[in-house]
Amino acid sequence: MVTVNEQLQSASIGHAVDLQHLSNAEVRKIMALLNSVDADLRAQLIAAIERVGTGTFSVQRMNTVLASVLALNKSSYAKVGKVLVEVVSDLAKYEIGYQKELLTAVIPKEVRVAVSLNTVNLGQARQIAMSRPFQGKLLKEWMSDLEVSRAERIRDGIRIGMVEGQTTEQIVRRVMGIKAEGYADGLLNRSRQDIEAVVRTAISHTAQGARDTFYKANADIVSEVRWLSTLDSKTSAPCRLRDRLVYTCDTHQPVGHKVPWLSGPGRLHWNCRS
Protein backbone atom coordinates (compact mmCIF):
# COMPACT_ATOMS: atom_id res chain seq x y z
CA MET A 1 0.00 0.00 0.00
CA VAL A 2 1.30 3.47 -0.90
CA THR A 3 1.97 5.57 2.20
CA VAL A 4 0.98 9.20 2.71
CA ASN A 5 4.63 10.26 2.46
CA GLU A 6 5.08 8.38 -0.81
CA GLN A 7 1.98 10.05 -2.23
CA LEU A 8 3.27 13.45 -1.15
CA GLN A 9 6.67 12.79 -2.70
CA SER A 10 5.19 11.65 -6.00
CA ALA A 11 2.86 14.66 -6.15
CA SER A 12 5.71 17.03 -5.25
CA ILE A 13 7.87 15.72 -8.09
CA GLY A 14 5.04 16.12 -10.58
CA HIS A 15 4.33 19.60 -9.26
CA ALA A 16 8.00 20.55 -9.62
CA VAL A 17 7.78 19.60 -13.30
CA ASP A 18 4.71 21.83 -13.64
CA LEU A 19 6.66 24.70 -12.07
CA GLN A 20 9.43 24.20 -14.63
CA HIS A 21 6.83 24.51 -17.40
CA LEU A 22 5.54 27.70 -15.74
CA SER A 23 9.08 29.10 -15.59
CA ASN A 24 9.63 28.31 -19.27
CA ALA A 25 6.39 30.02 -20.23
CA GLU A 26 7.12 33.14 -18.18
CA VAL A 27 10.67 33.39 -19.57
CA ARG A 28 9.26 33.26 -23.12
CA LYS A 29 6.66 35.91 -22.24
CA ILE A 30 9.23 38.29 -20.78
CA MET A 31 11.72 37.74 -23.61
CA ALA A 32 8.94 38.54 -26.07
CA LEU A 33 8.23 41.72 -24.13
CA LEU A 34 11.89 42.79 -24.37
CA ASN A 35 12.04 41.78 -28.05
CA SER A 36 9.01 43.93 -28.83
CA VAL A 37 11.01 47.11 -28.21
CA ASP A 38 14.13 45.99 -30.11
CA ALA A 39 13.21 47.94 -33.26
CA ASP A 40 12.69 51.14 -31.28
CA LEU A 41 15.87 50.54 -29.30
CA ARG A 42 17.91 50.01 -32.46
CA ALA A 43 16.49 53.16 -34.09
CA GLN A 44 17.17 55.26 -31.00
CA LEU A 45 20.67 53.83 -30.64
CA ILE A 46 21.51 54.78 -34.23
CA ALA A 47 20.15 58.29 -33.75
CA ALA A 48 22.01 58.72 -30.46
CA ILE A 49 25.35 57.48 -31.82
CA GLU A 50 25.12 59.80 -34.81
CA ARG A 51 24.29 62.75 -32.55
CA VAL A 52 27.29 62.05 -30.33
CA GLY A 53 29.71 62.23 -33.25
CA THR A 54 33.30 61.06 -32.96
CA GLY A 55 34.68 64.59 -33.13
CA THR A 56 32.75 65.86 -30.12
CA PHE A 57 32.73 62.67 -28.09
CA SER A 58 32.64 63.00 -24.31
CA VAL A 59 31.01 60.97 -21.55
CA GLN A 60 28.81 63.91 -20.56
CA ARG A 61 27.61 64.46 -24.12
CA MET A 62 27.03 60.73 -24.62
CA ASN A 63 24.85 60.54 -21.49
CA THR A 64 22.85 63.52 -22.74
CA VAL A 65 22.08 62.11 -26.16
CA LEU A 66 21.45 58.64 -24.72
CA ALA A 67 18.61 59.97 -22.54
CA SER A 68 15.86 58.62 -24.82
CA VAL A 69 17.59 55.24 -25.15
CA LEU A 70 17.98 54.87 -21.39
CA ALA A 71 14.38 56.02 -20.84
CA LEU A 72 13.19 53.26 -23.20
CA ASN A 73 15.37 50.76 -21.35
CA LYS A 74 13.93 51.86 -18.00
CA SER A 75 10.38 51.65 -19.31
CA SER A 76 10.96 48.14 -20.65
CA TYR A 77 12.23 46.86 -17.33
CA ALA A 78 9.38 48.55 -15.48
CA LYS A 79 6.96 46.54 -17.62
CA VAL A 80 8.93 43.34 -17.01
CA GLY A 81 8.95 44.02 -13.27
CA LYS A 82 5.18 44.55 -13.24
CA VAL A 83 4.58 41.28 -15.06
CA LEU A 84 6.90 39.38 -12.73
CA VAL A 85 5.27 40.84 -9.60
CA GLU A 86 1.88 39.64 -10.84
CA VAL A 87 3.29 36.18 -11.61
CA VAL A 88 4.86 35.57 -8.21
CA SER A 89 1.92 37.07 -6.30
CA ASP A 90 -0.53 34.79 -8.10
CA LEU A 91 1.81 31.84 -7.68
CA ALA A 92 2.14 32.33 -3.91
CA LYS A 93 -1.63 32.38 -3.54
CA TYR A 94 -2.05 29.33 -5.77
CA GLU A 95 0.74 27.37 -4.10
CA ILE A 96 -0.76 27.73 -0.63
CA GLY A 97 -4.11 26.50 -1.93
CA TYR A 98 -2.43 23.64 -3.78
CA GLN A 99 -0.59 22.44 -0.68
CA LYS A 100 -3.80 22.43 1.36
CA GLU A 101 -5.67 20.50 -1.33
CA LEU A 102 -2.80 18.02 -1.62
CA LEU A 103 -2.64 17.27 2.11
CA THR A 104 -6.42 17.06 2.29
CA ALA A 105 -6.37 14.49 -0.53
CA VAL A 106 -3.66 12.20 0.87
CA ILE A 107 -4.31 12.33 4.63
CA PRO A 108 -6.76 9.57 5.64
CA LYS A 109 -10.24 10.74 6.55
CA GLU A 110 -9.89 9.20 9.99
CA VAL A 111 -6.94 11.50 10.69
CA ARG A 112 -8.62 14.61 9.26
CA VAL A 113 -11.52 14.12 11.65
CA ALA A 114 -9.14 14.52 14.57
CA VAL A 115 -6.68 17.03 13.08
CA SER A 116 -7.66 20.08 11.05
CA LEU A 117 -5.42 21.77 8.50
CA ASN A 118 -4.39 25.35 9.20
CA THR A 119 -4.32 27.74 6.28
CA VAL A 120 -2.14 30.72 5.34
CA ASN A 121 -3.83 34.06 4.65
CA LEU A 122 -3.41 36.20 1.54
CA GLY A 123 -1.27 38.76 3.40
CA GLN A 124 1.26 36.06 4.23
CA ALA A 125 1.18 34.86 0.64
CA ARG A 126 2.01 38.31 -0.69
CA GLN A 127 4.78 38.69 1.88
CA ILE A 128 6.32 35.47 0.60
CA ALA A 129 6.35 36.84 -2.93
CA MET A 130 7.44 40.43 -2.31
CA SER A 131 9.07 40.77 1.11
CA ARG A 132 11.45 37.83 1.25
CA PRO A 133 14.85 38.26 -0.40
CA PHE A 134 16.39 35.64 -2.66
CA GLN A 135 20.10 35.53 -3.43
CA GLY A 136 20.47 38.48 -1.07
CA LYS A 137 17.96 40.93 -2.56
CA LEU A 138 14.24 41.57 -2.91
CA LEU A 139 12.61 41.11 -6.31
CA LYS A 140 12.21 44.88 -6.83
CA GLU A 141 15.91 45.35 -6.02
CA TRP A 142 16.94 42.72 -8.56
CA MET A 143 14.79 44.39 -11.23
CA SER A 144 16.36 47.78 -10.49
CA ASP A 145 19.86 46.28 -10.67
CA LEU A 146 19.08 44.56 -13.98
CA GLU A 147 17.88 47.81 -15.52
CA VAL A 148 20.98 49.67 -14.36
CA SER A 149 23.32 46.91 -15.58
CA ARG A 150 21.70 46.91 -19.02
CA ALA A 151 22.06 50.69 -19.26
CA GLU A 152 25.74 50.37 -18.39
CA ARG A 153 26.26 47.76 -21.10
CA ILE A 154 24.68 50.10 -23.65
CA ARG A 155 26.95 52.97 -22.61
CA ASP A 156 30.05 50.77 -22.51
CA GLY A 157 29.33 49.32 -25.95
CA ILE A 158 29.02 52.79 -27.49
CA ARG A 159 32.09 54.13 -25.69
CA ILE A 160 34.29 51.20 -26.73
CA GLY A 161 33.03 51.30 -30.31
CA MET A 162 33.76 55.01 -30.66
CA VAL A 163 37.22 54.68 -29.15
CA GLU A 164 37.94 51.90 -31.65
CA GLY A 165 36.61 54.01 -34.52
CA GLN A 166 33.76 51.67 -35.42
CA THR A 167 30.88 52.68 -37.66
CA THR A 168 27.39 53.26 -36.29
CA GLU A 169 26.21 49.88 -37.58
CA GLN A 170 29.19 48.10 -36.02
CA ILE A 171 28.52 49.74 -32.65
CA VAL A 172 24.82 48.85 -32.76
CA ARG A 173 25.72 45.27 -33.62
CA ARG A 174 28.22 45.17 -30.73
CA VAL A 175 25.49 46.30 -28.33
CA MET A 176 22.46 44.42 -29.63
CA GLY A 177 23.82 41.56 -31.73
CA ILE A 178 22.00 40.39 -34.83
CA LYS A 179 18.69 38.55 -35.16
CA ALA A 180 20.21 35.76 -37.26
CA GLU A 181 22.40 34.85 -34.28
CA GLY A 182 19.53 35.10 -31.84
CA TYR A 183 21.22 38.27 -30.51
CA ALA A 184 23.69 35.97 -28.71
CA ASP A 185 26.63 37.95 -30.12
CA GLY A 186 25.55 41.26 -28.53
CA LEU A 187 26.47 42.77 -25.18
CA LEU A 188 22.79 42.83 -24.22
CA ASN A 189 22.60 39.03 -24.44
CA ARG A 190 24.07 38.91 -20.93
CA SER A 191 21.12 41.00 -19.79
CA ARG A 192 18.76 38.41 -21.26
CA GLN A 193 20.57 35.65 -19.41
CA ASP A 194 20.37 37.66 -16.19
CA ILE A 195 16.63 38.30 -16.48
CA GLU A 196 16.01 34.62 -17.24
CA ALA A 197 17.88 33.61 -14.09
CA VAL A 198 15.89 36.10 -12.00
CA VAL A 199 12.56 34.91 -13.43
CA ARG A 200 13.29 31.23 -12.82
CA THR A 201 14.72 31.80 -9.35
CA ALA A 202 11.89 34.12 -8.30
CA ILE A 203 9.30 31.50 -9.28
CA SER A 204 11.14 28.70 -7.51
CA HIS A 205 11.76 30.90 -4.45
CA THR A 206 8.09 31.86 -4.23
CA ALA A 207 6.79 28.31 -4.61
CA GLN A 208 9.17 26.90 -2.02
CA GLY A 209 8.51 29.78 0.37
CA ALA A 210 4.76 29.20 0.17
CA ARG A 211 5.25 25.49 0.78
CA ASP A 212 7.50 26.12 3.79
CA THR A 213 5.01 28.58 5.27
CA PHE A 214 2.12 26.15 4.86
CA TYR A 215 4.10 23.28 6.38
CA LYS A 216 5.11 25.39 9.36
CA ALA A 217 1.46 26.35 9.91
CA ASN A 218 0.76 22.61 10.10
CA ALA A 219 3.85 21.49 12.00
CA ASP A 220 1.71 19.17 14.14
CA ILE A 221 1.13 17.09 11.00
CA VAL A 222 4.34 17.74 9.04
CA SER A 223 7.21 17.32 11.48
CA GLU A 224 10.05 16.79 9.01
CA VAL A 225 10.78 17.45 5.32
CA ARG A 226 13.04 15.66 2.87
CA TRP A 227 15.16 17.52 0.33
CA LEU A 228 14.74 16.21 -3.23
CA SER A 229 17.16 17.36 -5.91
CA THR A 230 16.68 17.14 -9.67
CA LEU A 231 19.59 14.87 -10.56
CA ASP A 232 21.14 15.26 -14.00
CA SER A 233 24.32 16.63 -15.58
CA LYS A 234 23.36 20.18 -14.54
CA THR A 235 22.80 19.46 -10.84
CA SER A 236 25.05 21.57 -8.62
CA ALA A 237 27.37 19.95 -6.08
CA PRO A 238 25.51 21.50 -3.08
CA CYS A 239 22.20 20.06 -4.35
CA ARG A 240 23.72 16.63 -5.01
CA LEU A 241 25.04 16.65 -1.45
CA ARG A 242 21.60 17.41 0.03
CA ASP A 243 19.47 15.08 -2.06
CA ARG A 244 17.13 13.00 0.16
CA LEU A 245 18.46 14.49 3.41
CA VAL A 246 15.87 15.15 6.13
CA TYR A 247 15.35 18.38 8.10
CA THR A 248 12.96 19.54 10.79
CA CYS A 249 9.93 21.38 9.43
CA ASP A 250 9.98 24.42 11.71
CA THR A 251 13.66 25.37 12.00
CA HIS A 252 15.16 23.21 9.21
CA GLN A 253 17.71 21.59 11.50
CA PRO A 254 19.52 18.54 10.04
CA VAL A 255 18.09 15.17 11.09
CA GLY A 256 20.69 12.41 11.27
CA HIS A 257 23.37 14.42 9.45
CA LYS A 258 25.26 17.73 9.68
CA VAL A 259 24.63 19.31 6.27
CA PRO A 260 23.02 22.76 6.82
CA TRP A 261 19.76 23.78 5.10
CA LEU A 262 21.12 27.24 4.16
CA SER A 263 18.57 28.97 1.87
CA GLY A 264 16.70 25.74 1.21
CA PRO A 265 15.64 23.89 -1.96
CA GLY A 266 14.73 26.08 -4.90
CA ARG A 267 16.65 28.96 -3.35
CA LEU A 268 20.10 27.53 -2.66
CA HIS A 269 21.54 29.12 -5.82
CA TRP A 270 20.45 30.70 -9.11
CA ASN A 271 18.16 28.43 -11.15
CA CYS A 272 17.95 25.90 -8.32
CA ARG A 273 15.56 23.04 -9.24
CA SER A 274 15.54 21.20 -5.91
Side-chain angles (χ1 to χ4, degrees):
M1 181 178 178
V2 180
T3 67
V4 170
N5 283 334
E6 288 171 339
Q7 291 181 66
L8 284 172
Q9 176 172 301
S10 178
S12 295
I13 292 172
H15 190 56
V17 174
D18 291 338
L19 287 173
Q20 285 294 315
H21 290 320
L22 173 65
S23 292
N24 293 340
E26 293 305 324
V27 166
R28 288 195 296 270
K29 181 196 301 183
I30 286 173
M31 290 305 172
L33 183 60
L34 291 176
N35 291 344
S36 68
V37 300
D38 275 353
D40 287 342
L41 181 61
R42 176 178 292 276
Q44 291 195 23
L45 268 175
I46 292 172
I49 293 168
E50 291 178 347
R51 286 202 305 273
V52 171
T54 56
T56 57
F57 173 74
S58 70
V59 173
Q60 183 177 2
R61 176 168 173 74
M62 183 178 71
N63 288 337
T64 298
V65 298
L66 275 179
S68 62
V69 174
L70 301 183
L72 178 60
N73 181 66
K74 190 177 185 68
S75 173
S76 299
Y77 272 76
K79 292 177 182 177
V80 169
K82 183 178 180 181
V83 170
L84 196 48
V85 165
E86 292 175 353
V87 169
V88 297
S89 296
D90 290 346
L91 176 61
K93 179 181 177 181
Y94 170 82
E95 191 69 23
I96 288 169
Y98 170 81
Q99 294 300 329
K100 184 173 183 178
E101 289 180 3
L102 176 58
L103 283 181
T104 300
V106 301
I107 295 175
K109 293 181 180 179
E110 299 81 0
V111 176
R112 284 192 279 114
V113 170
V115 181
S116 60
L117 286 173
N118 296 318
T119 190
V120 178
N121 62 46
L122 295 181
Q124 289 174 292
R126 181 167 178 79
Q127 184 180 37
I128 292 166
M130 303 305 302
S131 302
R132 293 188 180 182
F134 60 95
Q135 299 302 311
K137 296 179 182 179
L138 299 173
L139 177 58
K140 64 179 181 181
E141 294 172 333
W142 279 118
M143 293 309 303
S144 176
D145 285 356
L146 289 175
E147 183 263 314
V148 171
S149 295
R150 195 169 190 249
E152 289 176 349
R153 290 188 179 105
I154 291 172
R155 282 193 293 263
D156 289 347
I158 294 174
R159 184 184 297 119
I160 293 170
M162 287 194 161
V163 169
E164 293 179 355
Q166 292 183 336
T167 65
T168 297
E169 183 57 34
Q170 288 173 323
I171 294 173
V172 172
R173 175 169 177 167
R174 175 195 288 272
V175 173
M176 298 191 64
I178 58 174
K179 188 174 183 179
E181 299 291 337
Y183 303 105
D185 58 332
L187 292 176
L188 296 190
N189 186 55
R190 175 58 189 274
S191 297
R192 294 172 185 273
Q193 295 171 344
D194 290 345
I195 190 66
E196 178 176 351
V198 167
V199 171
R200 295 188 185 281
T201 306
I203 287 175
S204 180
H205 162 79
T206 300
Q208 295 288 355
R211 179 183 297 181
D212 286 349
T213 301
F214 182 79
Y215 282 177
K216 287 179 181 180
N218 293 279
D220 55 332
I221 299 174
V222 183
S223 61
E224 297 174 347
V225 292
R226 171 171 286 147
W227 187 303
L228 293 176
S229 297
T230 301
L231 298 177
D232 56 26
S233 61
K234 297 180 181 179
T235 307
S236 68
C239 286
R240 288 199 302 270
L241 175 65
R242 289 167 173 77
D243 183 48
R244 305 196 66 79
L245 295 183
V246 177
Y247 297 84
T248 60
C249 175
D250 52 354
T251 58
H252 298 137
Q253 294 302 307
V255 177
H257 61 91
K258 296 182 180 180
V259 181
W261 175 267
L262 300 181
S263 298
R267 296 159 295 188
L268 188 59
H269 55 78
W270 288 110
N271 297 321
C272 182
R273 297 171 296 158
S274 294

Short mmCIF file of all heavy atoms in Angstrom, two decimals, residues 229-240 269 271 273:
data_model
loop_
_atom_site.label_atom_id
_atom_site.label_comp_id
_atom_site.label_asym_id
_atom_site.label_seq_id
_atom_site.Cartn_x
_atom_site.Cartn_y
_atom_site.Cartn_z
N SER A 229 16.48 16.62 -4.85
CA SER A 229 17.16 17.36 -5.91
C SER A 229 16.86 16.75 -7.28
O SER A 229 16.70 15.54 -7.40
CB SER A 229 18.68 17.34 -5.69
OG SER A 229 19.02 17.99 -4.47
N THR A 230 16.77 17.61 -8.29
CA THR A 230 16.68 17.14 -9.67
C THR A 230 18.08 16.70 -10.08
O THR A 230 19.00 17.51 -10.15
CB THR A 230 16.20 18.26 -10.60
OG1 THR A 230 14.92 18.72 -10.15
CG2 THR A 230 16.10 17.78 -12.03
N LEU A 231 18.25 15.41 -10.32
CA LEU A 231 19.59 14.87 -10.56
C LEU A 231 19.82 14.64 -12.06
O LEU A 231 19.19 13.79 -12.68
CB LEU A 231 19.76 13.55 -9.80
CG LEU A 231 19.65 13.65 -8.27
CD1 LEU A 231 19.76 12.27 -7.64
CD2 LEU A 231 20.73 14.58 -7.72
N ASP A 232 20.70 15.43 -12.62
CA ASP A 232 21.14 15.26 -14.00
C ASP A 232 22.51 15.90 -14.15
O ASP A 232 23.14 16.25 -13.14
CB ASP A 232 20.13 15.83 -15.00
CG ASP A 232 19.81 17.31 -14.75
OD1 ASP A 232 20.67 18.01 -14.18
OD2 ASP A 232 18.71 17.76 -15.12
N SER A 233 22.97 16.09 -15.37
CA SER A 233 24.32 16.63 -15.58
C SER A 233 24.45 18.09 -15.14
O SER A 233 25.57 18.59 -15.01
CB SER A 233 24.71 16.50 -17.07
OG SER A 233 23.80 17.23 -17.88
N LYS A 234 23.33 18.77 -14.93
CA LYS A 234 23.36 20.18 -14.54
C LYS A 234 23.23 20.39 -13.04
O LYS A 234 23.31 21.53 -12.56
CB LYS A 234 22.25 20.95 -15.26
CG LYS A 234 22.38 20.97 -16.78
CD LYS A 234 21.24 21.76 -17.41
CE LYS A 234 21.35 21.77 -18.92
NZ LYS A 234 20.22 22.52 -19.55
N THR A 235 23.01 19.33 -12.28
CA THR A 235 22.80 19.46 -10.84
C THR A 235 24.06 19.98 -10.16
O THR A 235 25.15 19.46 -10.39
CB THR A 235 22.39 18.11 -10.23
OG1 THR A 235 21.27 17.58 -10.95
CG2 THR A 235 22.02 18.28 -8.76
N SER A 236 23.90 20.99 -9.32
CA SER A 236 25.05 21.57 -8.62
C SER A 236 25.53 20.62 -7.53
O SER A 236 24.78 19.78 -7.02
CB SER A 236 24.65 22.91 -7.99
OG SER A 236 23.73 22.71 -6.93
N ALA A 237 26.80 20.79 -7.14
CA ALA A 237 27.37 19.95 -6.08
C ALA A 237 26.62 20.12 -4.75
O ALA A 237 26.35 19.13 -4.07
CB ALA A 237 28.85 20.29 -5.91
N PRO A 238 26.26 21.36 -4.34
CA PRO A 238 25.51 21.50 -3.08
C PRO A 238 24.16 20.78 -3.10
O PRO A 238 23.72 20.25 -2.08
CB PRO A 238 25.31 23.02 -2.97
CG PRO A 238 26.45 23.60 -3.73
CD PRO A 238 26.64 22.68 -4.89
N CYS A 239 23.49 20.75 -4.26
CA CYS A 239 22.20 20.06 -4.35
C CYS A 239 22.38 18.55 -4.37
O CYS A 239 21.58 17.81 -3.80
CB CYS A 239 21.42 20.54 -5.56
SG CYS A 239 20.72 22.20 -5.36
N ARG A 240 23.43 18.07 -5.04
CA ARG A 240 23.72 16.63 -5.01
C ARG A 240 23.98 16.17 -3.59
O ARG A 240 23.52 15.10 -3.17
CB ARG A 240 24.93 16.30 -5.89
CG ARG A 240 24.68 16.40 -7.39
CD ARG A 240 25.74 15.64 -8.17
NE ARG A 240 27.09 16.13 -7.89
CZ ARG A 240 27.69 17.10 -8.55
NH1 ARG A 240 27.06 17.71 -9.54
NH2 ARG A 240 28.91 17.49 -8.22
N HIS A 269 20.70 28.40 -4.86
CA HIS A 269 21.54 29.12 -5.82
C HIS A 269 20.66 29.52 -6.99
O HIS A 269 19.48 29.16 -7.07
CB HIS A 269 22.70 28.22 -6.30
CG HIS A 269 22.23 26.91 -6.88
ND1 HIS A 269 21.72 26.79 -8.16
CD2 HIS A 269 22.19 25.65 -6.35
CE1 HIS A 269 21.40 25.54 -8.40
NE2 HIS A 269 21.66 24.82 -7.31
N ASN A 271 18.74 29.51 -10.34
CA ASN A 271 18.16 28.43 -11.15
C ASN A 271 18.10 27.10 -10.43
O ASN A 271 18.11 26.04 -11.06
CB ASN A 271 18.92 28.26 -12.47
CG ASN A 271 18.83 29.48 -13.36
OD1 ASN A 271 17.80 30.13 -13.46
ND2 ASN A 271 19.94 29.85 -14.00
N ARG A 273 16.75 23.84 -8.89
CA ARG A 273 15.56 23.04 -9.24
C ARG A 273 15.20 22.05 -8.15
O ARG A 273 14.34 21.19 -8.35
CB ARG A 273 15.82 22.30 -10.55
CG ARG A 273 16.03 23.22 -11.75
CD ARG A 273 16.51 22.41 -12.95
NE ARG A 273 17.81 21.81 -12.70
CZ ARG A 273 18.29 20.75 -13.35
NH1 ARG A 273 17.55 20.17 -14.28
NH2 ARG A 273 19.48 20.27 -13.07
#
